[in-house]
Amino acid sequence: MSAEHPGAGATETRRALEALLMVAEDPVDPQLLAQLLETSPATVESCCEELAAGYRTEERGFVLVRVAGGWRFQSDPELSAYVERFVLEGQTARLSAAALETLAIVAYRQPVSRSQVAAVRGVNVDGVMRTLQVRGYVEEVARDPGPGQAALFGTTTTFLEKLGLDSLADLPPLGDFVPDAATVEAFEQGLRGTPLPVDR
Amino acid sequence: MSAEHPGAGATETRRALEALLMVAEDPVDPQLLAQLLETSPATVESCCEELAAGYRTEERGFVLVRVAGGWRFQSDPELSAYVERFVLEGQTARLSAAALETLAIVAYRQPVSRSQVAAVRGVNVDGVMRTLQVRGYVEEVARDPGPGQAALFGTTTTFLEKLGLDSLADLPPLGDFVPDAATVEAFEQGLRGTPLPVDR
Amino acid sequence: MTYEVQTPVFEGPFDLLLHLILREELDLYEVSLSTIVDAYLAELDRLAGSEARLDLEVATEFLLIAATLIELKARRLLPAPEALDLDDELGLWEERDLLLGRLLECKTFKDAAVTLSAMEGVAGRSQPRRAGPEERFLALAPDLLAGVTPEALRAAFLRACTPRPVPRVEIAHLGAVRASVNDAVEELSRTLPGLGPTTFRRLTIGLSARLEVVVRFLALLELCKLGLVDLHQAQRFGDITVAWSASPDRFAAGDDARISVGVGRR
């Protein structure tokens, strides 16, 4: 493959693009890719187009597409039948413990920002929050009036239905639960947006 | 590429594998892949190995690896410089020395109770164990059948993924770390207490 | 990505011992007792002076290890008793083997941890793909909240907010030692000034329990460290002479907190 490119620089760019797109969870803006690769957006675009064409020629099971303003890998639509079966049969049918804890924090502490949840959980929760949003269990309900204007999340009607609750007032009471100093601090710290390890 | 395969079936299997692995969130068990592709786990294994070798030959920016009992796509380690720039979460706080030592004890002694770990470390490990649980390295795997019914801990799939291990059997044998004869001798010599100069 | 050994911050008594034995490449008996006690007290000072809370378990474990070492060593330094107590002797060997076993075990896992950390460092150079199925497939997935009850949600919330467990304080088995060292320091501070030069043997006459002897030894070391007592041993296995070296009013004017032994400090 490297022989197709004039120099080592081009190969490196192509390889770095493949690496970045592989770990990305959302379409990646060519501008951002160009910045990361220290090259021009035009180079990124042409390189991505070349890659996409290559995958088509090689009849890969994945495709590289331009969608929602960026590039991303996805499964070849021709193979949807397999993916559908995988989603239906393969995935665990339950929320992970981590996801359930995240959902619980949103339920009991809403409206709450992503970084507040992350601070309490001690891990980055972006991926988990996205899953919860996609599943329609949580949604953005407001914006933090503070400087960052962080999105504040709350639970949805779907969430209440799934749990068989009429309203949030029917959530089991926490009783004499008093958050300890560390948790209180975590909520406060969350507003400052301290970077956290990613939840894995 | 399809010309390299004897028939359409093989190409279809390869393509479906690529599609499934692209949408997977965790390493995928070859058994599950075999089930979804209506083929044998052995075929899945050989096909994945072939794919992995192909990506290496083609100098792709991603690699296909066997980890935590399944196959998954990940970025080529050689491109970590680019990926780290992109995935901020990649710069997770590393485990402290105390946490690592505790983790090593759990890994090699599992299932193991907190107090058993504490006995080896010589210090209370409650805080460290909680950190390891929160970070997803260890989890409660059973209860001691004895009177106290102490929680017994073991390592998680996340642990295998973080260490790049396919299974616990791939851990380096603990025997590798047992102090060599000379060290043991030195310890023994020290404790035997041959007559010595007077302490000041 | 290298694993950094945090010295001289010790995680526990084994850390301290391993540090003393391995890094200094000293054998246990060449480590002077005062080094051990100094390191022990320094560790307690560090804990007291830092944000970190003094963990009583750590402190008592240090004391236990130090006492065992002192006892082992004292056995060699003190004149052999006329009638050798075989049970005591065997007990000592058992303790020694136990200590050796624990040190070796601790060293083993320390080394394993370094390797695990290196493996994690290597594996961490790759990032996994975790994008999941495209949005159009997500609607197909089964209900992720199936079987989740409101109570389970409550439990999950409490789990997420669980404070770090407060270290259990188990001092029952060491309470006597803790009190005794303080008591012994006080008692010796009262009696020594009026006693004139004496010997360790005389000071421990009538003490039957080994523990009491060790405690008295620790107390003397503490007083010595504070410069209140001079210890001298003319020859190997000879009597240790003990002499009060401070003026009587110095102790009276001294800071009680400084006099009390580390474990009691908070």
Side-chain angles (χ1 to χ4, degrees):
Chain A
M1 184 92 183
S2 58
E4 291 170 30
H5 291 276
T11 305
E12 176 90 354
T13 301
R14 174 188 60 76
R15 300 189 73 225
L17 269 177
E18 286 185 317
L20 290 169
L21 292 167
M22 187 54 79
V23 304
E25 295 189 12
D26 300 296
V28 197
D29 185 346
Q31 294 277 356
L32 175 59
L33 288 170
Q35 215 177 310
L36 291 165
L37 302 180
E38 288 165 10
T39 183
S40 68
T43 307
V44 168
E45 292 286 6
S46 70
C47 197
C48 282
E49 275 158 23
E50 206 176 311
L51 274 174
Y55 298 143
R56 274 196 305 274
T57 311
E58 294 156 15
E59 294 187 75
R60 295 282 158 201
F62 49 80
V63 291
L64 184 61
V65 294
R66 181 103 210 232
V67 61
W71 288 94
R72 84 159 170 200
F73 275 122
Q74 59 184 46
S75 59
D76 187 336
E78 286 175 20
L79 300 160
S80 289
Y82 292 101
V83 177
E84 277 167 25
R85 237 192 282 173
F86 180 51
V87 171
L88 281 170
E89 295 176 29
Q91 306 269 55
T92 47
R94 282 190 310 111
L95 277 185
S96 68
L100 189 61
E101 281 184 25
T102 302
L103 180 59
I105 294 169
V106 176
Y108 278 99
R109 284 286 178 266
Q110 58 189 297
V112 68
S113 76
R114 234 194 305 258
S115 55
Q116 282 174 310
V117 178
V120 174
R121 297 245 11 258
V123 289
N124 179 302
V125 295
D126 291 1
V128 173
M129 285 291 280
R130 203 167 73 96
T131 303
L132 294 174
Q133 269 181 283
V134 169
R135 299 313 297 245
Y137 301 144
V138 311
E139 64 189 354
E140 195 182 316
V141 293
R143 286 271 163 183
D144 184 24
Q149 298 229 312
L152 299 178
F153 294 86
T155 50
T156 61
T157 316
T158 308
F159 163 83
L160 289 175
E161 282 169 15
K162 296 277 182 196
L163 265 86
L165 299 170
D166 277 342
S167 76
L168 286 175
D170 295 333
L171 276 174
L174 295 172
D176 54 1
F177 169 75
V178 180
D180 66 304
T183 306
V184 172
E185 200 204 335
F187 271 107
E188 283 165 8
Q189 195 181 11
L191 290 172
R192 294 197 297 271
T194 320
L196 284 162
V198 74
D199 198 8
R200 282 285 147 94
Chain B
M1 186 93 179
S2 59
E4 292 168 29
H5 291 277
T11 305
E12 177 86 355
T13 301
R14 175 187 60 76
R15 298 190 72 226
L17 274 176
E18 287 185 318
L20 290 173
L21 291 167
M22 194 56 83
V23 302
E25 288 174 54
D26 297 297
V28 197
D29 185 350
Q31 295 276 357
L32 174 61
L33 289 170
Q35 191 188 318
L36 293 167
L37 303 182
E38 289 167 6
T39 181
S40 69
T43 305
V44 167
E45 292 285 5
S46 69
C47 196
C48 283
E49 275 159 25
E50 207 177 309
L51 275 174
Y55 298 144
R56 274 196 304 275
T57 310
E58 295 155 13
E59 293 186 74
R60 296 280 161 204
F62 49 80
V63 291
L64 182 61
V65 295
R66 180 85 210 236
V67 68
W71 288 93
R72 81 163 177 208
F73 275 123
Q74 60 186 37
S75 59
D76 186 331
E78 286 173 19
L79 301 161
S80 61
Y82 296 100
V83 175
E84 272 161 23
R85 256 185 260 172
F86 177 58
V87 187
L88 262 150
E89 299 91 325
Q91 287 132 31
T92 52
R94 294 180 61 73
L95 289 176
S96 67
L100 280 166
E101 285 174 39
T102 305
L103 181 60
I105 296 167
V106 175
Y108 284 101
R109 287 281 160 84
Q110 58 187 304
V112 66
S113 74
R114 241 191 299 255
S115 57
Q116 286 171 316
V117 177
V120 176
R121 297 255 305 126
V123 292
N124 180 300
V125 295
D126 291 359
V128 173
M129 283 292 277
R130 193 175 135 73
T131 302
L132 290 174
Q133 273 179 279
V134 170
R135 299 278 298 266
Y137 286 89
V138 310
E139 65 188 352
E140 196 181 316
V141 291
R143 286 269 163 185
D144 186 11
Q149 300 228 308
L152 298 178
F153 295 86
T155 51
T156 60
T157 309
T158 303
F159 165 81
L160 292 176
E161 285 187 49
K162 294 253 191 197
L163 269 78
L165 295 170
D166 191 19
S167 78
L168 286 176
D170 294 334
L171 273 175
L174 190 60
D176 290 0
F177 308 111
V178 171
D180 58 25
T183 310
V184 175
E185 175 62 24
F187 275 48
E188 262 182 340
Q189 189 66 35
L191 288 166
R192 194 174 301 135
T194 43
L196 281 166
V198 172
D199 193 26
R200 66 172 162 97
Chain C
M1 292 291 174
T2 52
Y3 169 84
E4 279 178 60
V5 181
Q6 287 193 322
T7 48
V9 178
F10 302 108
E11 258 299 312
F14 294 143
D15 257 14
L16 174 62
L17 272 186
L18 286 169
H19 175 75
L20 290 174
I21 298 170
L22 294 173
R23 209 193 64 121
E24 311 276 329
E25 293 181 354
L26 288 174
D27 101 26
L28 268 186
Y29 281 82
E30 283 171 2
V31 177
S32 76
L33 291 179
S34 56
T35 304
I36 294 172
V37 175
D38 280 349
Y40 170 62
L41 293 172
E43 184 65 9
L44 290 177
D45 278 342
R46 184 188 68 79
L47 288 172
S50 72
E51 301 270 309
R53 275 186 309 176
L54 174 61
D55 185 331
L56 260 189
E57 292 217 14
V58 175
T60 50
E61 186 82 25
F62 265 114
L63 190 58
L64 196 66
I65 295 278
T68 308
L69 283 176
I70 287 165
E71 187 179 6
L72 286 165
K73 189 164 183 176
R75 277 285 176 143
R76 302 292 156 190
L77 296 176
L78 295 174
E82 292 74 18
L84 187 74
D85 186 335
L86 193 61
D87 282 352
D88 275 5
E89 193 69 17
L90 283 174
L92 196 62
W93 282 75
E94 253 170 49
E95 277 168 35
R96 196 206 65 175
D97 287 347
L98 212 63
L99 191 59
L100 175 65
R102 291 182 71 178
L103 280 174
L104 289 175
E105 193 175 44
C106 187
K107 177 89 171 76
T108 301
F109 285 113
K110 243 181 204 306
D111 291 348
V114 173
T115 299
L116 295 192
S117 177
M119 289 167 67
E120 183 176 20
V122 170
R125 294 169 60 81
S126 282
Q127 289 290 324
R129 175 161 182 88
R130 289 194 190 272
E134 290 94 57
E135 289 77 4
R136 64 198 169 95
F137 294 110
L138 282 182
L140 291 172
D143 178 12
L144 297 184
L145 280 177
V148 175
T149 62
E151 283 67 33
L153 192 75
R154 176 181 180 275
F157 177 79
L158 294 179
R159 205 164 53 236
C161 296
T162 305
R164 289 168 143 255
V166 177
R168 284 171 302 123
V169 176
E170 279 174 14
I171 54 164
H173 61 300
L174 282 171
V177 176
R178 197 179 142 215
S180 298
V181 177
N182 277 327
D183 290 351
V185 166
E186 268 177 42
E187 189 205 324
L188 288 168
S189 308
R190 267 199 319 274
T191 56
L192 279 178
L195 206 60
T198 182
T199 64
F200 183 73
R201 189 205 293 264
R202 228 175 287 165
L203 283 174
T204 54
I205 237 164
L207 294 181
S208 51
R210 260 186 323 192
L211 195 61
E212 288 179 81
V213 179
V214 171
V215 159
R216 196 150 288 216
F217 200 11
L218 273 176
L220 279 176
L221 285 170
E222 177 70 9
L223 288 169
C224 181
K225 180 179 183 273
L226 297 173
L228 298 169
V229 153
D230 280 335
L231 297 178
H232 184 70
Q233 191 175 32
Q235 61 181 66
R236 198 180 288 182
F237 301 120
D239 271 2
I240 301 168
T241 59
V242 180
W244 188 258
S245 61
S247 54
D249 59 307
R250 179 168 163 205
F251 177 62
D255 176 4
D256 276 356
R258 281 288 301 150
I259 293 287
S260 72
V261 175
V263 188
R265 275 186 238 151
R266 198 62 206 230

